[in-house]
Amino acid sequence: SRELAGGAQLAAAARPGRRRRRSAQARRAGFPGLQPAPPRPARPPPSAMAGCAARAPQGSEARLSLATFLLGASVLALPLLTRAGLQGRTGLALYVAGLNALLLLLYRPPRYQIAIRACFLGFVFGCGVLLSLSQYMCSLSLFHYSEYLVTAVNNPKSLSLDSFLLNHSLEYTVAALSSWIEFTLENIFWPELKQITWLSATGLLMVVFGECLRKAAMFTAGSNFNHVVQNEKSETHTLVTSGVYAWFRHPSYVGWFYWSIGTQVMLCNPICGVGYALTVWRFFRDRTEEEETSLIHFFGEEYLEYKKRVPTGLPFIKGVKVEL
């Protein structure tokens, strides 16, 4: 499962062997409580779009992404084209081709790469409203788009194409495909399983709660929040304990935990629902222990006192055990 979000900084010194084995994508997450270290002087790869905020006026990426997201969502007007005489498939093909042509005319790289991703997510959102998978598709597209938008507003220096979290990891892709396959097969052979309204509504509430909590954590942390793991403590690192961090030590993890499970409850996917819950719980159990080892190393008694006052927020996960 891809549900890796929010938390504190990983302990690089605590488990160096394990850290080296992780791929860069598998380690991507947000970090409540720590201000990101200054960017490395090395020039980032063009595909990552790192440093795009420095080349454009502040806030331009946020405005660009919002405009193109809404442009993609204009697929909601497609029924009007079909009523005007265009066949459904023909109208959809012309719409998609027209959108891409318009984006190519309006933008050049690197802004085109931002625009096409935001437009795609808006298109998925609009299709979700039109199709039977509306709640799930809308929730999924809004989650990925809002990750980029909040980062663009909150911490533009760390903004990159990876902030959309569309290419998070192979494990996340496999998990998503598995849920889609399960939904399709069960909808064909056991359609009554997908008609449990109260269960879908419960999943939707979990998704809304998780999404709101995660975004609240990102806004509370401000520029301290970063999607990329920061391995070294710098002089600017600060511990955030206010706002939602006064409720949970890892609010962004908590948000993504319930959001991910909620998507499967919303789809009435029993197999992936159980699989997601077990997988993300195990991941966050290990992640919080590693990160809290690092936080104790960075902040000492200050973090230990915070740890005593505030729970992790994750069920049956208490974090790293401290031997006195």
Side-chain angles (χ1 to χ4, degrees):
S1 170
R2 175 197 178 184
E3 322 317 333
L4 326 171
Q9 191 159 347
L10 295 179
R15 301 182 186 180
R18 184 174 181 178
R19 175 177 297 282
R20 283 193 294 269
R21 290 194 297 270
R22 291 185 176 180
S23 66
Q25 287 185 335
R27 293 161 48 200
R28 194 172 291 128
F31 302 92
L34 285 182
Q35 187 169 5
R40 295 178 180 273
R43 185 177 180 181
S47 60
M49 290 291 297
C52 61
R55 296 192 298 268
Q58 186 171 351
S60 63
E61 286 81 9
R63 292 190 293 271
L64 167 64
S65 66
L66 181 59
T68 49
F69 178 86
L70 294 176
L71 181 63
S74 65
V75 70
L76 291 168
L78 189 59
L80 298 178
L81 297 178
T82 58
R83 292 175 187 172
L86 286 176
Q87 295 182 355
R89 293 182 180 179
T90 303
L92 181 62
L94 290 175
Y95 172 83
V96 172
L99 276 184
N100 191 48
L102 180 61
L103 294 179
L104 286 170
L105 287 173
L106 293 177
Y107 307 109
R108 295 289 182 269
R111 293 173 67 81
Y112 172 78
Q113 280 106 351
I114 299 173
I116 195 65
R117 285 163 174 78
C119 188
F120 167 74
L121 291 172
F123 177 81
V124 173
F125 176 85
C127 289
V129 175
L130 297 175
L131 301 176
S132 59
L133 284 176
S134 59
Q135 295 178 350
Y136 174 77
M137 293 178 68
C138 291
S139 300
L140 191 65
S141 59
L142 281 177
F143 172 80
H144 286 283
Y145 173 66
S146 61
E147 289 292 305
Y148 183 90
L149 180 63
V150 174
T151 303
V153 173
N154 235 18
N155 190 11
K157 291 183 179 180
S158 70
L159 188 66
S160 73
L161 289 180
D162 289 338
S163 299
F164 283 108
L165 300 184
L166 290 172
N167 58 336
H168 188 281
S169 66
L170 176 62
E171 291 81 3
Y172 178 76
T173 303
V174 171
L177 289 175
S178 299
S179 70
W180 302 340
I181 292 172
E182 179 184 351
F183 179 88
T184 302
L185 293 177
E186 291 174 351
N187 195 41
I188 293 174
F189 296 104
W190 302 285
E192 65 278 2
L193 186 63
K194 304 303 178 184
Q195 305 301 321
I196 309 176
T197 305
W198 68 267
L199 188 61
S200 293
T202 301
L204 179 60
L205 289 176
M206 293 175 66
V207 166
V208 172
F209 168 76
E211 175 77 352
C212 291
L213 180 60
R214 175 166 169 80
K215 295 309 180 288
M218 294 176 70
F219 276 117
T220 302
S223 60
N224 297 342
F225 192 96
N226 198 309
H227 281 119
V228 180
V229 173
Q230 307 296 293
N231 296 323
E232 299 178 356
K233 182 179 184 295
S234 72
E235 295 179 356
T236 57
H237 279 157
T238 57
L239 184 66
V240 178
T241 59
S242 60
V244 290
Y245 293 98
W247 305 345
F248 309 120
R249 296 203 303 271
H250 304 280
S252 190
Y253 277 170
V254 176
W256 207 340
F257 178 83
Y258 286 107
W259 179 89
S260 63
I261 299 174
T263 59
Q264 300 312 297
V265 176
M266 188 164 54
L267 291 176
C268 299
N269 280 354
I271 298 175
C272 283
V274 174
Y276 272 45
L278 293 176
T279 301
V280 298
W281 184 88
R282 183 176 180 180
F283 170 81
F284 287 129
R285 180 197 62 186
D286 297 339
R287 176 59 64 90
T288 54
E289 289 182 359
E290 291 185 57
E291 294 182 350
E292 290 189 348
T293 300
S294 180
L295 284 171
I296 293 170
H297 175 69
F298 290 163
F299 299 105
E301 287 296 328
E302 182 183 3
Y303 188 79
L304 289 175
E305 288 298 320
Y306 173 63
K307 185 177 183 295
K308 290 178 183 178
R309 298 194 314 269
V310 181
T312 64
L314 296 161
F316 308 108
I317 297 177
K318 296 183 179 180
V320 67
K321 295 181 181 180
V322 181
E323 296 182 2
L324 299 177

